[in-house]
Amino acid sequence: MTEICSRDFYFETIPAVIETPPFVKALAGSSYQKYPDVKQKKRPDSRRTNFRISCVRQGAFGNMSGQRGSSLCSSHKRSLLVLSMLVVFISSINNSLPLDEQRELEPETYSKYYNYDQLTDLLKSLAQKYANIANLTSIGRSVENRELWVMRITRDPTADGPGKPKFKYVGNMHGDETVSRQVLIYLLEYLLEKYGEEPRVTELVDSTDIYIMPSMNPDGFEKSKEEDCMGKDEGRNNAKNVDLNRSFPDQFEEIHVNAEEMPEVAAVMRWILQNQFVLSGNLHGGTVVASYPFDDSAAHDNEGTYSRSPDDALFRYLARVYAENNPVMKTGQPKCEENINETFKDGITNGAKWYDVAGGMQDFNYLKGSCLEITMELSCCKYPPSTQLKTEWDNNREALLAYMEKVIHIGVRGFVRAARNDAPLADAVIMVAGINHKVSTSRFGDYYRLLLPGTYNITVLAPGYIPMSVAGVEVTEGKAAVLNITLEAENDENPATLSIPESPTETSVNSASTDSSSSTGVNEAADEEKDSRVTVQPQDFRHHHYNDMELFLQKFSSEYSSITRLYSIGKSVQERSLWVMEISNNPGVHEFGEPEFKYIGNMHGNEVVGRELLLNLIEYLCRNYGTDPEITQLINSTRIHIMPSMNPDGYEVSQEDISGVQGRNNTNNYDLNRNFPDRFNFVTDPRQPETLAVMNWAKSYPFVLSANLHGGSLVVNYPFDDNPDNVSRYSKSSDDDVFRMVALAYSQENSQMYDGHSCKGMDLYQEYFKDGITNGAEWYNVHGGMQDWNYINTNCFEVTIELGCYKYPPAADLPKYWERNRRSLLQFIHQVHRGVKGVVIDSKDGSGIPNATITVDAINHPITSNFAGDYWRLLVPGKYHLTASAQGYSSVSTFVNVPKEGVEIVNFTLNRIHSYTNGQTTEDTTPVLDPSVKEFQSLIKQLSGESGLDKLIKDTPTQSSFRYRCYSEVSEFLRGLTLNFPEITSLQSLGQSVEFRTVWALEISNNPKVQEPSEPKIRFVAGIHGNAPVGTELLLEFAASLCINYGKNAAITRLINETRIVILPSINPDGRELAKEKDCTSTAGKTNVHGKDLDNDFFEPQPETRAVMDLIQERGFTLSVALDGGSVLVTYPYDKPVQSVENADTLRYLATVYANHHPKMHSGDTGCPNSQMGTIPNGVLRAAEWHSHMGSMKDFSVDFGHCPEITVYTSCCLFPPAEMLPTLWAENRKSLLSMLVEVHKGVRGVVKDKNSKPIVGAIIVLNGGVRVFTSEGGYFHALLAPGLHNIEAVADGYQQQSQKVSVSPFEAASSIIIEFDMENDIFGLPRELVVASAAAAMTALVVTACIIWCICSAKSNRQKDGFHRLRQYRDDYDDEIRLMSMGSKKSLLSHEFQDESESEEDTLYTNKL
């Protein structure tokens, strides 16, 4: 008989194998060794460990008796106890270990989806377990703050090195397409587990740098639902409802990447651009097919348009590799329920032919990252049940591996090094003849160019080195061919000779090679090769008149539309367009990090060589792009703008002449190169339309380098062009060395110019310029020149190039000019890539910081970053100390060595300074904002950017027929707005004019009849002078535009929802009825019918001004904009002649914002006849300097309404003809919208006490001067110029609070909370002392009062009608008298209660005695 006694013990532990401690063995003794009947069971997904401890009672077994068996079980009680202790010990040890060390990876079941937390745990565990080949990082975060995990799998995964191409897979871009997420998890598990076991996996991991991102859209995944095959539930888009695969920059459509709206896209873009990936796959779901670029076309047809990339054949091959290894995909018949009959030949398709997708990731990878990517659709059901996952993994495993292997098995690879020192050359460009797609080397000099088997001609070029072309490079099946390139520097004296190894698969080529007989087909000597780069020369040399030039430009713009864009920056006096040809590999788009360059010709109409050379250059660049390596690299890396003629009117009247002046000036007879604002001399000539157009153009693009082509001499002239003394002597700029460097770059390529004798053989000229360059002022003084203006007012360095002594030579001489200047023109463009460049980044969100200042020690010329944060700073080679600073950020400095060739990249990351509270600095303490608030802040930043308002205007076109309206029509128009848009408009009568016309106020907001103190309130006013009605019509059009686009345009809708807009179109309706159209100077209608100028009448108000004064004194307005006429400028308070301005910086800044968005105003030239002011800096002036007077509306607004007001003068003519209204609307619309944006900046907040009770009427003191008051709810809002400001809050009974806040010119006001404590000091003494003293005093007073009251009560019982009550018995008095030895008889009565009148009583008492 056998009997088993057993017991189970369960302990909550993590399964682990831990050696039994020695002291437990000692306690167990020999029984531990003899009977180790302990069985351990591990359960997945549990931290409970089960132990079964068994005793065996044996009967007839092993010749043991039952008693012996019983004894055995009994004798092991001690062992049982010891083993129990062992379990407890193991449990305690396990529970003390970190969780990551405790977890053991479970076998993959292929039967469940991992949510974000589970995915994170799994990835961390895998990274820990396989640390030798796996490294987990996050490239950013999603909208909802989830990490965007990337697992890097390669040998030595924490270090970068040469020789391993980079590959990536990205999954779950659409959150509800979930198969991709899971198969990538399975793939990385497979690679990690099979490494070292399977040779195929081991070779792949050892030779490739693999990056796997299982989920690009973790937020969307969390919202998706299993078994939702059609994606009906939320989850496809990110948490901001943005489709991530429609949000990348696109070649055919302008798409702005907003980091706030789509942080996932911004993070992946940075990841792509920072890593030189070679091959990539983007995994999706919804059908089964492999899709390849391009994803869209210029036509954007919904489907059916094949959009071919330069690597189309290669993409088809790569797509087939995947499809052929997927058993479903290769059939080409996915048979999805949604489209059961859909078929794809070979299981692949061109993206745009299938359906047009603008903003797709695969096109961005190819065009911007030089990475070949295809999109794999893995399953018909987007989110299939988890039971299907095993099948999906089986279908895709081989395809995923086979696709990855192509990164090392096809094409050509190698290193590019410098011949001088064998140093690797980073960013060298590798080009394949006939395929317009470049790749570049990494910082280690290695490159990887995927190619199909065949024979190729490959060109390698790097700035400062002689390009190298290698013909006949053989690419075969199997491993990639190896081609190593050695480049000679352009100025090396002794180039090395070519050495070609015997192996046909590995070739080393030197750029100075002369061995033309080798099988590799290497090009000839360096000099010959340099000339051989010119493959197509301009064919037609002639003088192009305007119409001929226009057709020429249109022809090349049409023929080479992929690299050109023709646009006009304005018109000449005679209405000829000022054409500019842009040449770039991505025309129409400023590419991040790419410098912009411009050439301007024919500024003097009779100096024509520059005009023709620039037309030749346009033809030369277009015809040689893609075939000539230098031209291709130049266009791919530079955005080039060419204006052949700045003075087309002057050209048309010019004629062939050596040195004549006919046509030199414009039609108005002004010299355009004497017409720009000057730093030393005041230019009195009116600014010309050609000048204004170029000024606006120069400020609209981030130009880095420029040249102005002239004629009449042969020299490069650099700033400065004049000096204060107006004498011919050297006038050195802060960047004199840079200007000399770029000037020499041009002259050295033109042998005649470099010789220095400008006009040999011409008796008229005996000039000599050393090396063909000269300082402008040393040659002769030029006031109002364009090159000085560029340098002082923009980031652009400009020189003036005199191309020859003949200003208008015969057409037969033009080929000679081209040949002499061709290399110079190209070499000068190359100079834009000198110095340093980089990006200034916000450390908080990774976005670029616009308008950041980059300064160089010892060079007094700061430059600023572009809107995207990128910058360029030309410098000569050497060591420099750079500092980047921006308003609201801490400055950062660094040292940099600028190389002799090329550009040094220097990026700056700045930390935000949020506030200083009562002397305490706080950085980066911004609270987590409501998503809606963040969205609006993002909108304000976007609209404040370089093209934000331009895009808004483009998206909201107006179709009004402009005309002037009389009073009754204005009233009808306003009523019409309220009837058609009742939900957002409210019309209010403020009062009536002298003749009983209503002064109307229209409010536009999402809740116009409800006070919303938390929203800023802006006032637009017009018609204070009835003879200047342009403002009235502009405001009516502005109101209509806002209302019509509400609900249609997201930006307009949001601005109206967040702002209270009040429009007063006509303050002086009576005067308006008296004014006459086309009367530019008449005063008829200027005043009201009482003859009062209303803008002088805010002291003794008329009915009209009284109505406006009441509105102003409501104190709820944040900003006011008044429109008037008679000039083109903006004025700010005060109009009073001697009034000091406390917040002048803010008022001037607000006026400048309006002027800067006006195409003419910011130039400072009013253009008005008989103007006595000349040029007004930035078009902004303090009002008292314009027309000083008392009693103005803007002064009243500031003093009594605590609201800043600016006055905009919209046109020189007070009452211009109605035909001018569309132009005036176009000029002012952007500025008016900018005010709606600006009113949301500055500082805003709420004031409350410790109990969170809002404090109304608290005073907010700005910078120790200007005061605003808190409104209902404790809200306040004040506009401030960008920078750091002191904010003080004062309220009765509370301690004064102070903060320093930072205001950005691009960001919405951050809300601050001011929390008051009770006032601690009373009368200068501590509150506790004063309270204690007051309490003691009150106590004493109460006690004294009680005593007096008691005494008075007692006396009142004896007193009647003012007499003492006398005692009934005289003896009593006698006794008292005898007892008293002192005092008078009267003193005896002092103990009685006496009346106030004692005299009569004393008499009575005396008589009785």
Side-chain angles (χ1 to χ4, degrees):
M1 179 180 106
T2 300
E3 181 179 347
I4 304 294
C5 68
S6 65
R7 180 162 304 208
D8 288 338
F9 293 88
Y10 301 97
F11 292 92
E12 293 297 321
T13 68
I14 292 179
V17 178
I18 299 179
E19 184 180 355
T20 307
F23 78 90
V24 177
K25 295 180 181 180
L27 285 173
S30 60
S31 62
Y32 179 85
Q33 302 294 334
K34 291 172 64 176
Y35 305 104
D37 193 12
V38 180
K39 302 173 184 177
Q40 183 174 356
K41 299 182 293 183
K42 298 179 182 178
R43 296 185 180 181
D45 295 326
S46 173
R47 298 182 62 187
R48 184 167 72 176
T49 304
N50 310 324
F51 291 90
R52 176 175 295 273
I53 300 175
S54 304
C55 302
V56 182
R57 282 185 184 168
Q58 301 173 351
F61 182 77
N63 296 321
M64 287 182 173
S65 64
Q67 183 179 3
R68 173 67 175 163
S70 177
S71 174
L72 178 65
C73 192
S74 174
S75 69
H76 282 59
K77 289 182 179 179
R78 183 183 177 204
S79 295
L80 182 62
L81 175 61
V82 170
L83 291 173
S84 300
M85 293 174 64
L86 171 63
V87 172
V88 173
F89 176 78
I90 292 172
S91 175
S92 65
I93 292 294
N94 277 341
N95 286 328
S96 69
L97 290 173
L99 185 60
D100 288 341
E101 295 181 19
Q102 297 174 36
R103 179 180 297 108
E104 282 195 358
L105 292 171
E106 308 164 21
E108 183 59 68
T109 63
Y110 307 100
S111 62
K112 66 175 182 178
Y113 288 99
Y114 293 96
N115 63 26
Y116 173 76
D117 292 333
Q118 292 168 335
L119 174 63
T120 299
D121 289 344
L122 175 64
L123 294 176
K124 288 181 177 179
S125 298
L126 290 169
Q128 183 180 11
K129 182 175 180 180
Y130 299 99
N132 61 320
I133 58 169
N135 183 42
L136 180 66
T137 58
S138 170
I139 66 166
R141 290 186 175 183
S142 66
V143 172
E144 294 180 345
N145 223 31
R146 293 182 173 93
E147 302 287 355
L148 302 178
W149 294 117
V150 172
M151 184 73 85
R152 182 183 184 188
I153 302 176
T154 189
R155 190 179 65 249
D156 196 7
T158 59
D160 285 329
K164 289 193 291 187
K166 294 191 176 190
F167 176 93
K168 64 180 169 69
Y169 272 132
V170 176
N172 201 210
M173 187 180 198
H174 291 144
D176 61 347
E177 297 171 11
T178 61
V179 171
S180 62
R181 178 185 177 111
Q182 288 304 126
V183 297
L184 289 184
I185 293 171
Y186 303 152
L187 175 64
L188 64 88
E189 288 178 328
Y190 182 83
L191 293 174
L192 296 175
E193 291 171 3
K194 300 299 182 182
Y195 179 78
E197 296 180 7
E198 289 191 6
R200 179 190 189 189
V201 171
T202 304
E203 181 187 7
L204 188 60
V205 172
D206 285 345
S207 60
T208 316
D209 203 356
I210 303 168
Y211 296 78
I212 297 177
M213 176 189 281
S215 181
M216 182 179 167
N217 185 4
D219 298 349
F221 177 83
E222 298 298 316
K223 295 179 181 179
S224 304
K225 295 181 180 179
E226 190 171 344
E227 300 188 27
D228 178 13
C229 289
M230 308 298 292
K232 295 178 181 177
D233 294 302
E234 293 184 3
R236 173 185 175 89
N237 297 347
N238 76 349
K240 287 282 190 178
N241 199 29
V242 174
D243 188 328
L244 303 184
N245 207 32
R246 307 294 188 276
S247 302
F248 283 79
D250 190 83
Q251 62 178 325
F252 300 118
E253 183 173 310
E254 188 173 352
I255 295 177
H256 296 280
V257 178
N258 186 326
E260 298 283 346
E261 296 281 332
M262 51 192 94
E264 302 90 347
V265 171
V268 170
M269 285 175 60
R270 284 195 300 271
W271 184 44
I272 291 170
L273 297 176
Q274 290 169 1
N275 293 273
Q276 290 175 306
F277 292 109
V278 179
L279 183 61
S280 174
N282 179 14
L283 277 55
H284 283 252
T287 188
V288 185
V289 69
S291 165
Y292 54 89
F294 287 130
D295 253 340
D296 65 342
S297 66
H300 287 302
D301 296 326
N302 288 337
E303 58 183 41
T305 299
Y306 198 115
S307 187
R308 190 182 307 273
S309 74
D311 278 295
D312 187 70
L314 177 58
F315 273 121
R316 291 200 310 272
Y317 169 78
L318 292 170
R320 280 198 301 271
V321 167
Y322 196 96
E324 288 169 359
N325 287 281
N326 182 306
V328 178
M329 195 179 292
K330 70 180 180 180
T331 67
Q333 298 177 339
K335 297 182 179 179
C336 300
E337 291 184 8
E338 185 179 5
N339 194 347
I340 194 71
N341 295 319
E342 187 174 43
T343 60
F344 302 100
K345 188 177 185 303
D346 299 326
I348 66 173
T349 182
N350 174 261
K353 185 178 181 181
W354 184 17
Y355 63 93
D356 195 89
V357 172
M361 183 167 69
Q362 70 177 11
D363 287 7
F364 177 84
N365 269 275
Y366 181 65
L367 294 169
K368 302 301 179 184
S370 295
C371 171
L372 281 74
E373 179 174 281
I374 66 171
T375 301
M376 299 86 159
E377 305 279 346
L378 303 183
S379 63
C380 291
C381 181
K382 293 186 175 182
Y383 200 156
S386 57
T387 54
Q388 193 176 320
L389 289 175
K390 183 63 167 65
T391 301
E392 298 297 344
W393 168 237
D394 291 340
N395 287 343
N396 287 280
R397 180 177 59 249
E398 180 56 31
L400 291 165
L401 293 170
Y403 184 74
M404 276 196 294
E405 288 172 326
K406 294 306 167 187
V407 80
I408 56 174
H409 286 166
I410 64 174
V412 60
R413 59 189 298 180
F415 287 84
V416 179
R417 296 184 174 92
R420 181 184 303 168
N421 54 11
D422 205 36
L425 294 180
D427 297 320
V429 176
I430 288 80
M431 303 179 59
V432 180
I435 303 177
N436 182 22
H437 180 70
K438 64 178 183 178
V439 299
S440 57
T441 57
S442 76
R443 61 192 178 98
F444 302 106
D446 55 336
Y447 73 92
Y448 309 87
R449 193 10 167 140
L450 302 188
L451 292 168
L452 295 177
T455 303
Y456 298 92
N457 298 332
I458 295 178
T459 298
V460 180
L461 49 90
Y465 291 84
I466 300 172
M468 184 69 250
S469 293
V470 183
V473 178
E474 294 290 338
V475 174
T476 59
E477 291 282 357
K479 294 290 184 182
V482 177
L483 176 65
N484 296 321
I485 300 289
T486 301
L487 297 183
E488 291 285 348
E490 289 185 341
N491 57 358
D492 277 357
E493 296 290 336
N494 301 308
T497 57
L498 171 67
S499 174
I500 304 176
E502 296 180 359
S503 170
T505 61
E506 181 168 350
T507 307
S508 295
V509 181
N510 186 288
S511 66
S513 170
T514 59
D515 187 352
S516 59
S517 63
S518 68
S519 61
T520 57
V522 179
N523 285 5
E524 296 182 354
D527 291 339
E528 295 180 9
E529 192 224 336
K530 207 169 187 179
D531 292 336
S532 71
R533 286 183 257 167
V534 182
T535 55
V536 180
Q537 294 289 342
Q539 300 299 312
D540 190 8
F541 292 95
R542 67 176 187 277
H543 290 297
H544 293 74
H545 284 269
Y546 177 76
N547 291 329
D548 190 6
M549 179 187 74
E550 192 172 48
L551 288 170
F552 175 94
L553 295 172
Q554 291 171 348
K555 171 188 174 183
F556 276 88
S557 176
S558 174
E559 288 184 6
Y560 297 91
S561 58
S562 63
I563 60 168
T564 63
R565 177 177 70 106
L566 182 63
Y567 65 100
S568 170
I569 65 166
K571 292 191 175 181
S572 66
V573 174
Q574 294 184 349
E575 295 294 307
R576 291 184 174 93
S577 292
L578 303 177
W579 291 113
V580 176
M581 179 73 89
E582 177 191 341
I583 303 178
S584 166
N585 66 332
N586 198 1
V589 177
H590 170 73
E591 295 188 74
F592 184 80
E594 186 173 274
E596 307 215 10
F597 174 95
K598 63 181 166 74
Y599 271 133
I600 297 177
N602 200 210
M603 186 182 198
H604 291 145
N606 66 330
E607 297 170 12
V608 304
V609 173
R611 174 185 178 117
E612 299 307 325
L613 285 180
L614 292 183
L615 294 177
N616 296 152
L617 180 63
I618 289 170
E619 179 179 359
Y620 182 77
L621 293 174
C622 289
R623 294 196 185 280
N624 291 290
Y625 178 76
T627 57
D628 183 275
E630 180 187 20
I631 300 304
T632 305
Q633 185 229 8
L634 207 54
I635 292 174
N636 286 344
S637 61
T638 320
R639 192 180 184 195
I640 304 168
H641 304 255
I642 299 175
M643 176 190 281
S645 181
M646 181 178 168
N647 185 5
D649 297 350
Y651 177 89
E652 294 303 308
V653 298
S654 301
Q655 57 187 5
E656 288 190 15
D657 194 359
I658 295 178
S659 58
V661 295
Q662 183 176 344
R664 172 186 176 91
N665 296 347
N666 76 342
T667 297
N668 291 335
N669 200 28
Y670 288 106
D671 187 329
L672 299 182
N673 207 32
R674 309 293 188 278
N675 196 238
F676 284 78
D678 191 82
R679 65 190 187 118
F680 294 128
N681 293 274
F682 183 72
V683 178
T684 58
D685 292 343
R687 208 77 65 223
Q688 296 302 292
E690 298 91 344
T691 308
L692 290 172
V694 170
M695 290 171 66
N696 290 332
W697 180 45
K699 288 191 171 183
S700 300
Y701 290 82
F703 292 118
V704 180
L705 182 61
S706 172
N708 178 14
L709 274 54
H710 282 248
S713 187
L714 189 62
V715 66
V716 181
N717 160 28
Y718 55 88
F720 283 125
D721 255 340
D722 64 351
N723 53 55
D725 303 326
N726 197 26
V727 296
S728 294
R729 59 177 170 80
Y730 205 112
S731 183
K732 183 181 292 189
S733 72
S734 299
D735 281 289
D736 191 68
D737 289 342
V738 174
F739 278 117
R740 289 179 57 82
M741 176 182 72
V742 299
L744 279 169
Y746 193 98
S747 70
Q748 286 174 340
E749 297 288 341
N750 184 320
S751 59
Q752 287 190 1
M753 184 182 290
Y754 190 66
D755 178 63
H757 296 280
S758 61
C759 298
K760 289 182 178 179
M762 297 181 64
D763 295 334
L764 185 62
Y765 298 100
Q766 298 297 328
E767 294 176 310
Y768 173 74
F769 303 105
K770 188 177 184 305
D771 297 330
I773 66 173
T774 184
N775 173 262
E778 188 176 36
W779 186 15
Y780 63 93
N781 265 246
V782 171
H783 306 305
M786 183 166 69
Q787 69 177 14
D788 286 8
W789 181 87
N790 268 275
Y791 178 65
I792 294 169
N793 294 278
T794 73
N795 290 333
C796 183
F797 291 57
E798 181 171 283
V799 300
T800 302
I801 303 173
E802 303 282 347
L803 296 167
C805 299
Y806 287 85
K807 294 186 176 182
Y808 200 143
D813 292 344
L814 293 178
K816 298 178 183 177
Y817 283 98
W818 168 247
E819 192 56 38
R820 292 170 188 162
N821 288 279
R822 173 177 58 84
R823 288 301 312 158
S824 295
L825 290 167
L826 296 176
Q827 189 60 34
F828 189 76
I829 301 176
H830 280 299
Q831 301 309 299
V832 80
H833 297 282
R834 305 290 296 270
V836 295
K837 72 173 185 177
V839 59
V840 185
I841 301 169
D842 186 322
S843 64
K844 183 174 180 64
D845 59 14
S847 63
I849 301 175
N851 209 36
T853 300
I854 290 84
T855 57
V856 183
D857 281 7
I859 300 179
N860 184 24
H861 184 72
I863 58 100
T864 55
S865 62
N866 188 34
F867 179 70
D870 44 349
Y871 76 91
W872 306 261
R873 212 309 176 183
L874 297 181
L875 290 169
V876 299
K879 187 174 183 179
Y880 298 91
H881 185 252
L882 271 63
T883 300
S885 58
Q887 291 169 336
Y889 293 85
S890 300
S891 298
V892 172
S893 298
T894 187
F895 286 96
V896 58
N897 281 307
V898 174
K900 291 183 178 180
E901 301 293 339
V903 65
E904 184 72 12
I905 298 175
V906 182
N907 298 327
F908 295 93
T909 300
L910 306 188
N911 294 318
R912 297 187 186 189
I913 302 174
H914 282 276
S915 65
Y916 297 83
T917 305
N918 290 332
Q920 300 296 316
T921 305
T922 60
E923 285 198 11
D924 203 19
T925 56
T926 305
V928 177
L929 297 176
D930 178 270
S932 178
V933 175
K934 288 184 66 177
E935 181 181 334
F936 183 67
Q937 290 185 344
S938 176
L939 173 65
I940 294 299
K941 188 172 183 179
Q942 178 183 339
L943 294 177
S944 301
E946 182 179 8
S947 58
L949 289 175
D950 291 325
K951 186 175 186 303
L952 178 59
I953 289 173
K954 181 181 177 182
D955 293 342
T956 55
T958 57
Q959 299 178 344
S960 298
S961 55
F962 286 92
R963 60 189 180 83
Y964 289 108
R965 300 171 177 86
C966 63
Y967 165 75
S968 60
E969 290 178 305
V970 170
S971 299
E972 290 173 2
F973 185 88
L974 295 172
R975 291 192 191 97
L977 288 176
T978 60
L979 293 172
N980 284 283
F981 306 98
E983 71 281 4
I984 60 168
T985 59
S986 174
L987 188 62
Q988 175 188 359
S989 169
L990 300 181
Q992 292 188 318
S993 66
V994 175
E995 294 184 341
F996 303 103
R997 292 182 175 93
T998 300
V999 179
W1000 294 112
L1002 176 72
E1003 180 174 345
I1004 302 175
S1005 72
N1006 64 331
N1007 208 352
K1009 297 181 181 179
V1010 176
Q1011 294 292 326
E1012 294 181 287
S1014 63
E1015 292 183 357
K1017 192 174 181 181
I1018 186 171
R1019 183 173 68 240
F1020 292 97
V1021 185
I1024 195 169
H1025 295 132
N1027 64 335
V1030 170
T1032 298
E1033 301 306 324
L1034 295 184
L1035 290 187
L1036 293 177
E1037 183 62 26
F1038 187 50
S1041 174
L1042 293 175
C1043 292
I1044 289 170
N1045 286 289
Y1046 183 80
K1048 296 179 180 178
N1049 180 272
I1052 293 292
T1053 303
R1054 194 63 195 271
L1055 285 173
I1056 291 176
N1057 287 345
E1058 301 291 339
T1059 321
R1060 296 180 64 199
I1061 307 165
V1062 178
I1063 296 177
L1064 282 67
S1066 182
I1067 297 178
N1068 185 5
D1070 297 349
R1072 166 66 183 84
E1073 297 300 301
L1074 300 175
K1076 295 181 180 179
E1077 187 175 345
K1078 300 182 183 180
D1079 202 333
C1080 291
T1081 58
S1082 173
T1083 58
K1086 178 178 181 178
T1087 64
N1088 73 349
V1089 295
H1090 285 166
K1092 294 285 187 180
D1093 185 335
L1094 298 184
D1095 202 37
N1096 295 342
D1097 196 58
F1098 277 74
F1099 281 146
E1100 299 176 359
Q1102 296 292 302
E1104 299 91 344
T1105 48
R1106 168 53 62 192
V1108 178
M1109 289 168 66
D1110 291 342
L1111 179 69
I1112 291 174
Q1113 288 178 305
E1114 290 180 4
R1115 284 188 177 177
F1117 289 96
T1118 308
L1119 175 62
S1120 178
V1121 181
L1123 305 186
D1124 208 341
S1127 189
V1128 182
L1129 76 156
V1130 189
T1131 64
Y1132 60 91
Y1134 281 97
D1135 283 304
K1136 303 172 190 177
V1138 294
Q1139 177 71 41
S1140 62
V1141 186
E1142 292 177 327
N1143 60 335
D1145 288 345
T1146 295
L1147 296 169
R1148 187 185 305 109
Y1149 170 75
L1150 293 171
T1152 302
V1153 170
Y1154 193 101
N1156 283 345
H1157 286 94
H1158 192 285
K1160 298 178 180 178
M1161 199 175 287
H1162 68 82
S1163 70
D1165 184 10
T1166 64
C1168 300
N1170 302 321
S1171 173
Q1172 302 299 315
M1173 293 299 296
T1175 301
I1176 299 169
N1178 300 315
V1180 171
L1181 204 61
R1182 183 183 168 191
E1185 298 175 25
W1186 175 242
H1187 292 306
S1188 64
H1189 60 280
M1190 305 294 289
S1192 73
M1193 179 170 64
K1194 71 163 69 71
D1195 291 3
F1196 186 86
S1197 178
V1198 172
D1199 289 339
F1200 297 95
H1202 303 284
C1203 170
E1205 180 171 293
I1206 60 173
T1207 301
V1208 178
Y1209 296 86
T1210 58
S1211 64
C1212 296
C1213 183
L1214 291 169
F1215 202 151
E1219 307 88 73
M1220 288 294 298
L1221 288 176
T1223 300
L1224 294 173
W1225 166 243
E1227 290 175 351
N1228 286 276
R1229 184 184 181 192
K1230 185 176 177 182
S1231 296
L1232 291 170
L1233 286 170
S1234 75
M1235 295 293 98
L1236 283 187
V1237 175
E1238 204 63 33
V1239 78
H1240 288 279
K1241 298 177 184 177
V1243 59
R1244 63 188 303 179
V1246 62
V1247 179
K1248 60 184 181 178
D1249 62 17
K1250 283 290 187 182
N1251 298 319
S1252 296
K1253 179 182 178 182
I1255 299 175
V1256 179
I1259 303 171
I1260 309 299
V1261 184
L1262 309 174
N1263 298 316
V1266 177
R1267 299 183 174 194
V1268 296
F1269 299 85
T1270 57
S1271 60
E1272 291 296 326
Y1275 293 104
F1276 71 91
H1277 190 169
L1279 299 181
L1280 292 167
L1284 282 174
H1285 297 272
N1286 295 311
I1287 306 293
E1288 296 176 336
V1290 181
D1292 290 339
Y1294 296 94
Q1295 291 185 26
Q1296 178 175 315
Q1297 298 291 315
S1298 64
Q1299 290 190 19
K1300 279 193 176 182
V1301 297
S1302 173
V1303 174
S1304 166
F1306 300 98
E1307 296 184 352
S1310 296
S1311 184
I1312 64 172
I1313 298 175
I1314 298 177
E1315 197 171 74
F1316 275 124
D1317 286 331
M1318 294 296 293
E1319 181 66 68
N1320 278 333
D1321 291 349
I1322 301 176
F1323 305 121
L1325 297 173
R1327 172 181 291 273
E1328 293 79 2
L1329 178 60
V1330 175
V1331 170
S1333 300
M1338 289 298 297
T1339 302
L1341 288 172
V1342 170
V1343 171
T1344 304
C1346 290
I1347 293 172
I1348 294 173
W1349 180 81
C1350 291
I1351 294 172
C1352 290
S1353 296
K1355 182 176 179 182
S1356 66
N1357 292 331
R1358 298 183 183 181
Q1359 185 176 338
K1360 186 177 181 181
D1361 298 329
F1363 291 93
H1364 289 286
R1365 290 189 300 149
L1366 299 180
R1367 303 194 178 180
Q1368 294 180 358
Y1369 302 101
R1370 180 170 178 162
D1371 294 341
D1372 296 336
Y1373 286 97
D1374 293 340
D1375 293 338
E1376 289 184 18
I1377 293 171
R1378 284 194 297 270
L1379 291 172
M1380 299 295 295
S1381 60
M1382 296 181 65
S1384 67
K1385 298 171 185 176
K1386 182 177 179 181
S1387 69
L1388 296 175
L1389 294 176
S1390 65
H1391 300 297
E1392 301 291 337
F1393 298 108
Q1394 300 180 10
D1395 185 65
E1396 294 295 331
S1397 56
E1398 296 184 312
S1399 58
E1400 293 182 3
E1401 193 175 313
D1402 288 346
T1403 303
L1404 177 61
Y1405 179 70
T1406 302
N1407 290 337
K1408 285 188 177 184
L1409 291 177

